[in-house]
Amino acid sequence: MSEQLPSQYFIGVNLDDVSVYAMAVSSEGQSLAESTYKFDLTKHHSPKDFTEQLCESWWQASCQVLGHLMCQLGKQGFSPNHLLGISVSSQPGSIAILNRNGESLYPAIMAQDARAEDQAVRLNLVGQEHVRKIGCPFRPTDAIAKIVWFKEKEPDLYENAVFAHQADYIIGKLKGKIDVTDSTIASTTGCDPCDRCWPDWLDYDMHLSVRERLPNIGQMGQSVGRVTSEAARVTGLPAGLPVILGCNSQTAAFLSSGAKKTGDFFTVFDETMQIEGITRRLINYPHNLVKMNRLPDMQWYFSTRSNTGAEWIHVWFNEQFAHANIEQVDQLLPTHYLAFPNVRHGEIFPFHSNSAEGFISPATDNRLVQFAACIQGTTFVERMIYRRIDELSENTDLGTIYSIGSWCQSDLWMQCRADVTERVVHRLPQTHGADFGTALVAAIGTKYHTLEEASNAMVHIDKSFYPNPQRMAAFKDHYAAFLTTMEEQGYLA
């Protein structure tokens, strides 16, 4: 197969608290092979309420999954000579505790382990300027809180301890030295994402000596080494293969969405709305409701969510009614019936209210009119979200929306979203995971060099919806009335 049509490809590896996942992706975005392997969790039993693992199990599972992946590729005829690079991502918060030789000194503490409650409180007190700067307080599940806990509980072991995140550990095993991390993975370890460094206060005020115990901070997509002959022997990878610095799992999954420019959004449109995107500046929003991570080229990745999505369909109507009537809605839109279709008590974004409740105004008993008003109202909330993000980030670029979700299959609803938001809306054919996004990072570090170039080549669109100028004008007046109604309800104060 490779002799008839040589295809360059990349491997992305992603780790969570249970398994390691790997995917080989062609330079055109085709998934060539996938593999999954669970960690061996039988060798260590954590104390009650602790979540610990032996980090050696991460490497053993990675060897298994990569060996299986390379075997699949070989059977399909793909040559290792066409493999251009490998990258690794992982969830933030998990931390390996090693000695100076890179061997396990103490069981790794996993992301969901929340033992370090007191330490998180102290970090927020001592590092309050850091917290204000990045807009995100420390939590007991953060890796830095676990490091403080370990220093206090095991002071003798701490003297000879160094620390590595899951992805750092695997990248280090691949290239022969555990010495580099990415700011998105290190976000829970106290990294300053603005300056991409370990801040002084961790050493001078918390006395952690992190600079000699944590990896150097590199940049996602950076080439950090090559696969050693020993790693090649146990994984099946070709020796000398470029190893590319990855990112955290959530960022990797976002990179696979197609969003690539400042102002672009990726919206998962389901019961609630999960909104992610790219900005040029850090967004500081109350209640830690907008999470930020650094991207290459001085860009930022953000994620937030709204309680208002499509949950109202099965709470106020039902799936059967929705599918049977959605095509009839087009003739009713836009409508002067204004709906805030939030079926949960309270909203968190684009405004914060503990008491916000859904409504339809004026009241009507016509179920089809109610249904049309809710579709329109959901898109009005979506427009509010994008406008709010643009306002907070001082963005003037009208970006593109990339979207997936259960109701994205409705062309009518997708066109309504384009007309209301006044933006191009792309429907993606499938949901790509963090392993695909990590392979895309490997492509950025080898063949394509920028997120935009890699995304254009590897992420494909199912269908695109462009704003209709006549419908845009018609929706605009109703949107203004919707905002007025929301203000009268006291939600936008």
Side-chain angles (χ1 to χ4, degrees):
M1 181 176 181
S2 61
E3 292 180 1
Q4 297 173 356
L5 184 63
S7 178
Q8 297 172 322
Y9 62 100
F10 319 91
I11 289 178
V13 178
N14 179 58
L15 296 92
D16 62 19
D17 60 340
V18 176
S19 301
V20 56
Y21 309 84
M23 177 182 284
V25 182
S26 75
S27 56
E28 297 81 29
Q30 178 187 3
S31 174
L32 305 178
E34 300 179 47
S35 185
T36 305
Y37 201 86
K38 288 185 178 294
F39 303 138
D40 181 1
L41 305 179
T42 61
K43 297 179 180 178
H44 179 76
H45 299 283
S46 307
K48 186 180 180 181
D49 300 328
F50 286 16
T51 307
E52 299 176 348
Q53 289 177 6
L54 295 176
C55 60
E56 286 81 2
S57 68
W58 305 342
W59 176 237
Q60 292 163 5
S62 297
C63 291
Q64 291 284 347
V65 82
L66 287 169
H68 182 236
L69 194 75
M70 294 304 293
C71 183
Q72 289 184 67
L73 291 166
K75 288 179 179 178
Q76 295 179 56
F78 287 98
S79 168
N81 295 330
H82 295 143
L83 175 57
L84 299 188
I86 184 171
S87 187
V88 184
S89 62
S90 66
Q91 59 181 349
S94 297
I95 198 78
I97 304 171
L98 312 169
N99 62 24
R100 304 284 175 170
N101 296 321
E103 300 162 337
S104 183
L105 183 67
Y106 188 91
I109 305 177
M110 302 306 291
Q112 66 271 35
D113 189 307
R115 72 183 70 177
E117 292 185 8
D118 295 340
Q119 290 75 19
V121 170
R122 190 154 62 257
L123 284 164
N124 284 319
L125 179 63
V126 177
Q128 53 188 295
E129 289 186 14
H130 174 87
V131 170
R132 277 197 296 269
K133 179 179 179 180
I134 67 170
C136 182
F138 292 102
R139 302 161 299 177
T141 53
D142 285 348
I144 191 64
K146 296 162 186 171
I147 289 173
V148 176
W149 177 92
F150 183 72
K151 181 177 186 291
E152 294 174 356
K153 301 301 181 183
E154 301 286 349
D156 293 338
L157 290 178
Y158 189 85
E159 287 301 313
N160 296 310
V162 295
F163 303 91
H165 311 91
Q166 272 185 309
D168 310 342
Y169 183 81
I170 300 303
I171 281 181
K173 297 292 281 187
L174 287 171
K175 70 186 190 68
K177 188 176 183 181
I178 305 169
D179 62 352
V180 64
T181 191
D182 165 71
S183 63
T184 68
I185 296 175
S187 59
T188 71
T189 321
C191 168
D192 182 334
C194 300
D195 300 321
R196 286 198 181 100
C197 68
W198 302 114
D200 291 341
W201 67 273
L202 290 176
D203 283 349
Y204 300 146
D205 299 326
M206 293 298 296
H207 310 292
L208 297 176
S209 58
V210 292
R211 286 179 176 82
E212 64 180 72
R213 301 181 189 279
L214 286 168
N216 298 317
I217 299 172
Q219 179 170 295
M220 175 200 320
Q222 169 189 349
S223 179
V224 293
R226 293 182 178 272
V227 172
T228 65
S229 57
E230 173 58 22
R233 183 183 65 81
V234 295
T235 61
L237 296 168
L241 178 70
V243 178
I244 308 302
L245 189 60
C247 53
N248 70 31
S249 302
Q250 186 179 15
T251 304
F254 167 73
L255 294 176
S256 69
S257 70
K260 51 188 171 285
K261 297 180 180 178
T262 301
D264 282 354
F265 294 95
F266 172 49
T267 301
V268 180
F269 192 72
D270 243 314
E271 290 194 353
T272 62
M273 267 192 281
Q274 176 74 32
I275 305 97
E276 303 172 334
I278 301 175
T279 67
R280 278 287 175 194
R281 66 184 296 271
L282 183 72
I283 294 173
N284 217 317
Y285 190 77
H287 311 292
N288 191 29
L289 293 175
V290 178
K291 305 290 194 306
M292 303 293 299
N293 274 308
R294 200 64 180 267
L295 292 175
D297 304 322
M298 302 304 291
Q299 295 187 112
W300 289 89
Y301 153 65
F302 77 86
S303 65
T304 188
R305 70 177 182 88
S306 172
N307 281 345
T308 306
E311 189 176 12
W312 54 268
I313 288 177
H314 65 255
V315 175
W316 289 351
F317 301 89
N318 58 62
E319 297 275 339
Q320 184 178 359
F321 177 92
H323 286 296
N325 291 281
I326 194 164
E327 294 304 321
Q328 301 179 51
V329 166
D330 191 44
Q331 61 188 339
L332 299 176
L333 293 175
T335 175
H336 72 277
Y337 287 92
L338 304 175
F340 173 47
N342 177 16
V343 297
R344 303 189 178 196
H345 193 71
E347 183 55 277
I348 55 178
F349 198 86
F351 60 91
H352 189 268
S353 170
N354 292 324
S355 59
E357 293 183 345
F359 62 80
I360 299 177
S361 177
T364 176
D365 292 330
N366 187 314
R367 295 290 281 166
L368 192 59
V369 170
Q370 292 174 351
F371 186 64
C374 287
I375 287 180
Q376 175 181 271
T378 307
T379 58
F380 283 169
V381 172
E382 187 175 1
R383 173 172 169 150
M384 286 176 65
I385 291 168
Y386 302 144
R387 291 296 178 93
R388 183 66 173 138
I389 290 294
D390 286 343
E391 176 186 285
L392 291 168
S393 63
E394 299 179 2
N395 174 55
T396 57
D397 300 320
L398 201 63
T400 301
I401 301 166
Y402 298 81
S403 197
I404 58 171
S406 54
W407 286 96
C408 286
Q409 294 307 309
S410 167
D411 286 3
L412 182 146
W413 202 333
M414 291 289 284
Q415 185 61 52
C416 181
R417 293 172 65 190
D419 296 338
V420 169
T421 62
E422 303 179 1
R423 302 169 192 251
V424 178
V425 182
H426 296 304
R427 179 169 63 210
L428 301 174
Q430 59 184 324
T431 304
H432 288 309
D435 45 4
F436 182 98
T438 309
L440 190 140
V441 174
I444 294 172
T446 53
K447 181 179 176 67
Y448 294 118
H449 307 301
T450 68
L451 171 59
E452 184 172 355
E453 194 178 346
S455 187
N456 285 338
M458 298 175 66
V459 180
H460 303 291
I461 304 301
D462 176 48
K463 189 172 182 179
S464 299
F465 300 83
Y466 296 86
N468 180 319
Q470 291 182 330
R471 301 268 287 189
M472 281 168 50
F475 276 116
K476 188 170 288 187
D477 291 341
H478 293 288
Y479 178 69
F482 174 74
L483 293 180
T484 299
T485 304
M486 295 291 281
E487 288 176 355
E488 291 171 352
Q489 294 287 335
Y491 295 158
L492 304 187

